[in-house]
Amino acid sequence: MIDFEVLTGLAVREGIERIGLGVVVRDASGRILMIRRAANDVLPGRWEYPGGAREDGEPVPAGAARELAEATGLTGLVLDYLRSLDFVDRRGRRVRRFIFTTVVPDGTPVVLSPEHDSHQWASADALPPTADGQRAVVEWLTRRLAIPGWRPVGGYLSTVARPTSYGCFLVSDPQGRFLGMRSTINPEVWSFPGGNVEHGEAPFGTALREAREELGLDLAAENPAVIARRRLVAVIHEAAGTEYPVPVCGYVFDGGVLTEEQQGRIRLDPAEHTEWRFETAHDWRARMRPDRYRRLLQVLRAHRCGTALYLEQPAPADEFEGVLVLVTDPAGRLLMHHRDDKEGIAWPGYWTPIGGWREGDETPEETAAREVLEEAGLTITRMHRVPGPQHDLVHPLTRVLHAVWDGPASDLRLGDEGLEVRMVALDEVPTLKVPPYLQHYLPLLAAAADRPAGRTA
């Protein structure tokens, strides 16, 4: 649907002083309805297509239908928007005329108003004397109608998907956790500060307005340097589905960091949200539906890598957001990482294989190679996906890979995260504090150790 409120608002900002309306009526033979102004009217004898001025507060399409009915008696027709035409009227005012078109059967009766005294159905190349602007519109329409498949923009827009759009902010706290708000209407839903774009708005302005309404904070004042950059984190296109039957395009912007003092000034609108909280990417999993959690991980990946990502929902079936890398050596030992014992991460204080989040548009193999190098100092170059179903405790968005490393022991070193890394014999792994999912993968690794393996590092 065309938003004529936005178009008329734009006209005002561009210095337009008057809104005009016009309707090019065609019959089935392609002729144009032209009507002649009466002798006692302004510009007597001038031929024109039906039209006039919009009345105060009148919707543009309704005004066009009214002018057509008053001038010709034609009612109940579907009017397709064509284009606009700017001109200066005889009083020196800048006018923007919104022009529509419609088609009627040959021989349709016309009942003229007292302002007109004659009418005719004229071919486009033989119009009666008329204004240059009106002639230009008819010629423009005729040329486009000659193009196979062309339709007036108003009619064309009725055939395409009309998505809604929204703008929102990704906001974090000094600990690197991310803000979510629980919906009042649907308590299962947690969302970022933001909402649907309203008439005349752009997504970034929407995000600012919604943050003020939902948080009670003006982020432009709270985080001026960040907001001034207008950093786009992600564009998310969501296909129409059973929950929301039209496509949606969302824009996620960087909202910066809120200090404890700023957080203390958050005031929710109870009609929209019942609570807010900051959580790590890992802890949000327990509070979100799988599809929403997938979207969160994708957005956080875009935020980490510093490059805006285009995302689609539903995502391709083979999408991943993290990896678990089972690295063994020719002796059959497994590379194990003693994790930090802190809240908000997976398996705090446990011994686990190397793993981590995807960055940018990495492949699973690229993510695995980077994580193993960062966390253990080892370079792995060839790996394969571990066959069979994943353990229930390994998230579906995590890709499980296996690689064999046969480099020197001196290469093994602890990276910036964790307490220790070392190679552990498979039969000794269960003696450590390890996640239950390893019981699923150890037999697979033991079987792989019995097969010859080439150098992969």
Side-chain angles (χ1 to χ4, degrees), residues 53 57 66 74 90 99 101 105 128 145 147 162 183 198 218 245 284 296 320 322 343 356:
R66 174 187 53 76
L74 298 175
R90 60 191 181 88
I99 304 167
T101 189
L145 287 171
I147 301 172
R162 289 174 285 178
S183 169
E198 295 184 353
D218 182 356
W284 273 123
L296 172 68
F320 78 102
E343 294 183 359

Short mmCIF file of all heavy atoms in Angstrom, two decimals, residues 53 57 66 74 90 99 101 105 128 145 147 162 183 198 218 245 284 296 320 322 343 356:
data_model
loop_
_atom_site.label_atom_id
_atom_site.label_comp_id
_atom_site.label_asym_id
_atom_site.label_seq_id
_atom_site.Cartn_x
_atom_site.Cartn_y
_atom_site.Cartn_z
N ALA A 53 -8.16 19.83 -6.87
CA ALA A 53 -7.34 20.01 -5.67
C ALA A 53 -7.82 19.10 -4.55
O ALA A 53 -9.02 18.83 -4.42
CB ALA A 53 -7.38 21.47 -5.22
N GLY A 57 -7.21 17.69 4.78
CA GLY A 57 -7.34 16.45 5.53
C GLY A 57 -7.82 15.26 4.74
O GLY A 57 -8.00 14.17 5.30
N ARG A 66 -13.09 11.27 -5.59
CA ARG A 66 -14.11 12.31 -5.49
C ARG A 66 -14.08 13.23 -6.70
O ARG A 66 -15.13 13.54 -7.30
CB ARG A 66 -13.90 13.13 -4.22
CG ARG A 66 -14.84 14.33 -4.08
CD ARG A 66 -14.49 15.20 -2.90
NE ARG A 66 -13.08 15.61 -2.90
CZ ARG A 66 -12.58 16.55 -3.69
NH1 ARG A 66 -13.36 17.17 -4.58
NH2 ARG A 66 -11.30 16.85 -3.62
N LEU A 74 -18.32 9.07 -12.87
CA LEU A 74 -17.75 7.72 -12.80
C LEU A 74 -17.40 7.39 -11.35
O LEU A 74 -16.63 8.12 -10.71
CB LEU A 74 -16.51 7.61 -13.67
CG LEU A 74 -16.73 7.86 -15.18
CD1 LEU A 74 -15.40 7.83 -15.93
CD2 LEU A 74 -17.68 6.81 -15.76
N ARG A 90 -1.34 29.28 -11.97
CA ARG A 90 -1.46 30.66 -12.46
C ARG A 90 -1.33 31.70 -11.34
O ARG A 90 -1.14 32.88 -11.60
CB ARG A 90 -2.79 30.84 -13.20
CG ARG A 90 -4.01 30.57 -12.36
CD ARG A 90 -5.25 30.50 -13.24
NE ARG A 90 -6.45 30.27 -12.44
CZ ARG A 90 -7.16 31.25 -11.90
NH1 ARG A 90 -6.81 32.52 -12.08
NH2 ARG A 90 -8.25 30.97 -11.20
N ILE A 99 -1.16 11.60 -9.82
CA ILE A 99 -1.97 11.18 -10.96
C ILE A 99 -2.23 9.68 -10.91
O ILE A 99 -1.32 8.87 -10.70
CB ILE A 99 -1.25 11.55 -12.28
CG1 ILE A 99 -0.95 13.06 -12.29
CG2 ILE A 99 -2.11 11.16 -13.48
CD1 ILE A 99 0.00 13.47 -13.37
N THR A 101 -4.70 6.31 -12.73
CA THR A 101 -5.31 5.88 -13.99
C THR A 101 -6.30 4.77 -13.70
O THR A 101 -6.23 4.09 -12.66
CB THR A 101 -4.25 5.41 -15.00
OG1 THR A 101 -4.87 5.19 -16.27
CG2 THR A 101 -3.60 4.10 -14.56
N PRO A 105 -15.03 0.13 -19.74
CA PRO A 105 -15.43 -0.45 -21.03
C PRO A 105 -15.70 0.63 -22.07
O PRO A 105 -16.06 1.77 -21.73
CB PRO A 105 -16.71 -1.23 -20.68
CG PRO A 105 -16.65 -1.43 -19.20
CD PRO A 105 -15.95 -0.25 -18.65
N PRO A 128 -7.11 16.78 -27.91
CA PRO A 128 -7.57 18.15 -28.16
C PRO A 128 -6.63 19.13 -27.44
O PRO A 128 -5.78 18.71 -26.64
CB PRO A 128 -8.97 18.16 -27.56
CG PRO A 128 -8.95 17.10 -26.52
CD PRO A 128 -8.04 16.03 -27.04
N LEU A 145 2.76 1.91 -21.58
CA LEU A 145 1.77 0.88 -21.87
C LEU A 145 2.19 0.03 -23.06
O LEU A 145 1.76 -1.13 -23.20
CB LEU A 145 0.40 1.51 -22.12
CG LEU A 145 -0.32 2.06 -20.90
CD1 LEU A 145 -1.55 2.86 -21.32
CD2 LEU A 145 -0.72 0.93 -19.94
N ILE A 147 5.13 -1.10 -23.47
CA ILE A 147 6.15 -2.04 -23.02
C ILE A 147 5.46 -3.30 -22.51
O ILE A 147 4.64 -3.23 -21.60
CB ILE A 147 7.01 -1.42 -21.91
CG1 ILE A 147 7.69 -0.14 -22.40
CG2 ILE A 147 8.04 -2.43 -21.39
CD1 ILE A 147 8.41 0.63 -21.31
N ARG A 162 4.51 -7.21 0.62
CA ARG A 162 4.68 -5.92 1.26
C ARG A 162 5.16 -6.14 2.69
O ARG A 162 4.37 -6.36 3.60
CB ARG A 162 3.36 -5.15 1.25
CG ARG A 162 2.98 -4.66 -0.14
CD ARG A 162 1.62 -4.03 -0.16
NE ARG A 162 0.58 -5.04 -0.08
CZ ARG A 162 -0.71 -4.76 -0.04
NH1 ARG A 162 -1.12 -3.51 -0.04
NH2 ARG A 162 -1.61 -5.73 0.02
N SER A 183 8.62 -9.75 26.85
CA SER A 183 7.37 -9.19 26.35
C SER A 183 6.23 -9.39 27.34
O SER A 183 6.09 -10.46 27.94
CB SER A 183 7.01 -9.85 25.01
OG SER A 183 5.70 -9.53 24.62
N GLU A 198 7.27 3.24 11.83
CA GLU A 198 5.98 3.90 11.63
C GLU A 198 6.05 4.82 10.42
O GLU A 198 7.11 5.03 9.83
CB GLU A 198 5.61 4.69 12.90
CG GLU A 198 5.37 3.79 14.11
CD GLU A 198 4.90 4.56 15.33
OE1 GLU A 198 4.87 5.82 15.27
OE2 GLU A 198 4.57 3.92 16.35
N ASP A 218 17.30 7.95 26.54
CA ASP A 218 17.63 8.48 25.23
C ASP A 218 19.05 8.04 24.92
O ASP A 218 20.03 8.62 25.41
CB ASP A 218 17.54 10.01 25.23
CG ASP A 218 17.85 10.62 23.86
OD1 ASP A 218 18.20 9.86 22.94
OD2 ASP A 218 17.76 11.85 23.73
N PRO A 245 2.35 -13.58 9.16
CA PRO A 245 2.14 -14.02 7.78
C PRO A 245 2.61 -13.06 6.70
O PRO A 245 2.17 -13.17 5.56
CB PRO A 245 0.62 -14.21 7.72
CG PRO A 245 0.08 -13.22 8.71
CD PRO A 245 1.09 -13.16 9.81
N TRP A 284 21.64 -16.94 27.40
CA TRP A 284 20.38 -16.63 26.71
C TRP A 284 19.75 -17.88 26.11
O TRP A 284 18.54 -17.91 25.88
CB TRP A 284 20.62 -15.59 25.62
CG TRP A 284 20.54 -14.16 26.09
CD1 TRP A 284 21.50 -13.20 25.99
CD2 TRP A 284 19.44 -13.54 26.77
NE1 TRP A 284 21.07 -12.03 26.55
CE2 TRP A 284 19.80 -12.21 27.03
CE3 TRP A 284 18.17 -13.98 27.17
CZ2 TRP A 284 18.95 -11.31 27.68
CZ3 TRP A 284 17.32 -13.09 27.81
CH2 TRP A 284 17.71 -11.78 28.06
N LEU A 296 19.86 -14.58 17.60
CA LEU A 296 20.74 -13.86 18.53
C LEU A 296 22.20 -14.17 18.25
O LEU A 296 23.05 -13.27 18.19
CB LEU A 296 20.39 -14.23 19.97
CG LEU A 296 21.37 -13.70 21.04
CD1 LEU A 296 21.28 -12.19 21.12
CD2 LEU A 296 21.09 -14.34 22.38
N PHE A 320 25.80 -22.86 10.86
CA PHE A 320 26.38 -23.17 12.17
C PHE A 320 26.82 -21.85 12.79
O PHE A 320 27.01 -20.84 12.12
CB PHE A 320 27.57 -24.12 12.03
CG PHE A 320 28.83 -23.43 11.57
CD1 PHE A 320 29.84 -23.11 12.47
CD2 PHE A 320 28.98 -23.05 10.24
CE1 PHE A 320 30.98 -22.45 12.05
CE2 PHE A 320 30.13 -22.41 9.81
CZ PHE A 320 31.13 -22.10 10.72
N GLY A 322 28.95 -22.24 15.91
CA GLY A 322 30.09 -22.60 16.76
C GLY A 322 30.66 -23.94 16.35
O GLY A 322 30.06 -24.67 15.54
N GLU A 343 31.02 -17.59 35.70
CA GLU A 343 29.63 -17.67 35.28
C GLU A 343 29.47 -17.19 33.85
O GLU A 343 30.22 -16.37 33.35
CB GLU A 343 28.75 -16.84 36.21
CG GLU A 343 28.69 -17.34 37.64
CD GLU A 343 27.76 -16.50 38.49
OE1 GLU A 343 27.19 -15.52 37.95
OE2 GLU A 343 27.60 -16.81 39.69
N GLY A 356 34.51 -22.95 20.10
CA GLY A 356 34.30 -21.51 20.12
C GLY A 356 33.29 -21.07 19.08
O GLY A 356 32.74 -21.86 18.32
#
